[in-house]
Amino acid sequence: MDLTGLQTALETFSSWIWGPWFLIPLLLGTGLYLTIRLGGLQFIRLGAGLRLGLFTRKDPGSDGDISQFQALTTALAATVGTGNIVGVATAIGIGGPGALFWMWITGLLGMASKYSEAFLGVRFRTTDSAGEKNGGPQYYLQRGIRGPVGKILGLSFAIFAVIACFGIGNMTQGNSIATNLESSFNVPTWITGVVLTIFALSVLVGGIKSIGRVTAGLVPIMIVFYVLGAIYILIANVGALPSAFAQIFTEAFTGTSAVGGFAGSVIIIAVQYGVARGIFSNESGMGSAAIAAAAAKTSHPVRQGLVSMTQTFIDTIIVVTCTGLVIIATGTWNQIDPETGEQLSAALMTAEAFSHGLPGDWGHIIVTLGLVLFAGSTILGWSYYGERNIERLLGRRAVMPFRILFSVVVFIGCTVQLGVVWAFSDVMNGLMALPNLIGLLVLSGLVARETRQYLKHDPKLRATREEIDAFMTGTPGWNEWKTETIPVVASKRRRPDRQRS
């Protein structure tokens, strides 16, 4: 079946959604607006969030399914994927070194969006029939924005998320793993598909607790492994770093591209690809991480919001920066492939960059293993996102069939060509973000008000559960969160004690 026409149409639609006149200004604008309303929270409270998420790691005695650290690593597992390797190379290859600057801006502003959606995910979470916590845009859009508008936004997000999870969180990740293992180690794609399918199914049947245990062990190792490799390359090419930073900051406002020409000579290309690939990498504003945050054992939504916010910092400011600097400092961003006479492909560009300063084939090995670990963990994280949304649409009984189907689809992704799937995934990601961004803007007042209430008493996130209960009792929203009821201020037509599941 010839799907060229469909792929072209999807790519055209995707370029419009992720273009400079629709989703990009909405994402940046929402991040900037939330940054202002929250008083630069991501800069002032970053240290406290990192300490709570990476070192304290848990809130003893709090309700939830997994620890705050496991919620963080589950979200990191879903975001630290092919976007951190291939996506960064794509952005720089097309938009030039200046694209990395706009990825940084996206990450810094996106931290406010990530905080807000994680806060709301915990704030409006519910408990399902199996005793597990459910939350995310599919719930907080409806529970926070009363009436038909909130319901439509919540259902729209759930539908788009379920569809997207099979693309960007499943088939495309499996395909990246299979093709890279085949080209690097001659592993047949069907063998990779079988192994990944068995691995996914063995983890997913255990639910979020099983996923949390695996990601808590896997994610820190894979990130440290990759970052240390990048740092080694940068030290080996330390003389090129001043020039690399100069290119990044200069070309962010002048515009250039690896292949030259008019299309790459304007700033809008650097901005477009920097922001689009940045969001593809850290998912700030898409609402996905709020689903993992809602499962966390936490004493207050602010605490998990700040922990989840650090995910964007780790993903973009650390991992993406490592990839981008290696590509720019080694000069591979504008290198020509001697076999084709064209610019290096994105995956080959990163592998070639990592080969500078490392003996033998270690550069290619690090990139390949990094891609395998990053993409494999992304499959686990996105499976949970899809599961929570399928439950929102079809109920708890649909969860186990979904886990089995999701695992089987991994094999399909490993063994077929996915041009159409990649284009379709970009469209679904954009459609996921739209209702969530609307919800973040509408609910920004609630987020800012309740954030100020909490941080007035516990700015360093060191209070115990008992202390939190003492100073929060009687404040607006506290009782509704503790009892999982609809906020009194959300509707004048319903009784304040009416609950929704």
Side-chain angles (χ1 to χ4, degrees), residues 65 121 124-129 132-136 138-139 291 294-295 384 388 391-392 396:
D65 302 322
F124 290 101
R125 69 186 182 183
T126 65
T127 303
D128 66 17
S129 59
E132 295 182 351
K133 297 296 183 183
N134 277 343
Q138 73 274 28
Y139 287 98
I291 302 171
Y384 183 66
R388 295 293 89 181
E391 180 173 4
R392 172 67 181 84
R396 181 74 193 185

Side-chain angles (χ1 to χ4, degrees), residues 66 69-70 73-74 77 199-200 202-204 206-222 373 376-377 380-381:
I66 55 177
F69 178 71
Q70 289 174 331
T73 57
T74 298
F199 167 71
S202 64
V203 175
L204 300 187
I208 185 57
K209 293 182 180 179
S210 175
I211 295 172
R213 286 193 297 269
V214 173
T215 58
L218 177 63
V219 169
I221 294 174
M222 74 182 195
L373 293 173
S377 65
L380 298 181

Side-chain angles (χ1 to χ4, degrees), residues 72-380:
L72 172 61
T73 57
T74 298
L76 275 170
T79 55
V80 179
T82 56
N84 295 80
I85 297 178
V86 180
V88 177
T90 300
I92 295 174
I94 298 176
L100 183 58
F101 172 86
W102 293 106
M103 295 183 84
W104 290 339
I105 296 299
T106 302
L108 292 173
L109 295 179
M111 289 170 69
S113 301
K114 184 76 70 167
Y115 167 81
S116 300
E117 59 195 19
F119 173 95
L120 292 169
V122 177
R123 175 67 174 78
F124 290 101
R125 69 186 182 183
T126 65
T127 303
D128 66 17
S129 59
E132 295 182 351
K133 297 296 183 183
N134 277 343
Q138 73 274 28
Y139 287 98
Y140 67 64
L141 290 172
Q142 181 171 349
R143 290 168 62 84
I145 305 173
R146 303 302 296 149
V149 173
K151 185 174 184 179
I152 291 172
L153 291 174
L155 289 175
S156 297
F157 178 88
I159 292 170
F160 295 143
V162 169
I163 298 173
C165 80
F166 285 101
I168 201 63
N170 186 317
M171 287 192 285
T172 56
Q173 305 298 328
N175 189 265
S176 295
I177 294 172
T179 53
N180 274 273
L181 286 179
E182 184 180 42
S183 62
S184 298
F185 304 112
N186 296 316
V187 179
T189 57
W190 71 268
I191 292 180
T192 301
V194 169
V195 173
L196 276 181
T197 298
I198 295 173
F199 167 71
L201 186 59
S202 64
V203 175
L204 300 187
V205 293
I208 185 57
K209 293 182 180 179
S210 175
I211 295 172
R213 286 193 297 269
V214 173
T215 58
L218 177 63
V219 169
I221 294 174
M222 74 182 195
I223 291 178
V224 170
F225 167 77
Y226 185 80
V227 169
L228 287 178
I231 290 175
Y232 184 94
I233 304 297
L234 294 175
I235 292 174
N237 294 271
V238 67
L241 286 179
S243 175
F245 279 106
Q247 285 181 293
I248 292 168
F249 288 103
T250 300
E251 296 179 16
F253 301 98
T254 59
T256 186
S257 76
V259 294
F262 176 77
S265 64
V266 291
I267 181 178
I268 203 167
I269 299 296
V271 176
Q272 178 178 350
Y273 280 90
V275 174
R277 293 300 98 182
I279 294 299
F280 179 82
S281 173
N282 62 50
E283 298 180 11
S284 295
M286 286 179 56
S288 52
I291 302 171
K297 296 177 182 178
T298 186
S299 300
H300 194 278
V302 167
R303 295 169 73 90
Q304 185 56 43
L306 289 172
V307 169
S308 296
M309 179 187 76
T310 66
Q311 174 225 321
T312 298
F313 177 81
I314 295 169
D315 177 278
T316 303
I317 307 304
I318 296 179
V319 181
V320 164
T321 296
C322 285
T323 302
L325 283 178
V326 167
I327 290 173
I328 298 168
T330 57
T332 54
W333 70 275
N334 60 357
Q335 186 173 326
I336 301 299
D337 189 335
E339 295 184 3
T340 64
E342 300 178 351
Q343 180 188 355
L344 291 174
S345 65
L348 187 58
M349 184 188 298
T350 305
E352 185 66 23
F354 268 74
S355 296
H356 287 260
L358 287 174
D361 294 326
W362 275 104
H364 287 267
I365 292 173
I366 286 178
V367 171
T368 299
L369 292 181
L371 192 68
V372 169
L373 293 173
F374 288 2
S377 65
T378 297
I379 291 172
L380 298 181

Side-chain angles (χ1 to χ4, degrees), residues 18 37 98 165:
W18 289 102
R37 292 216 65 169
C165 80

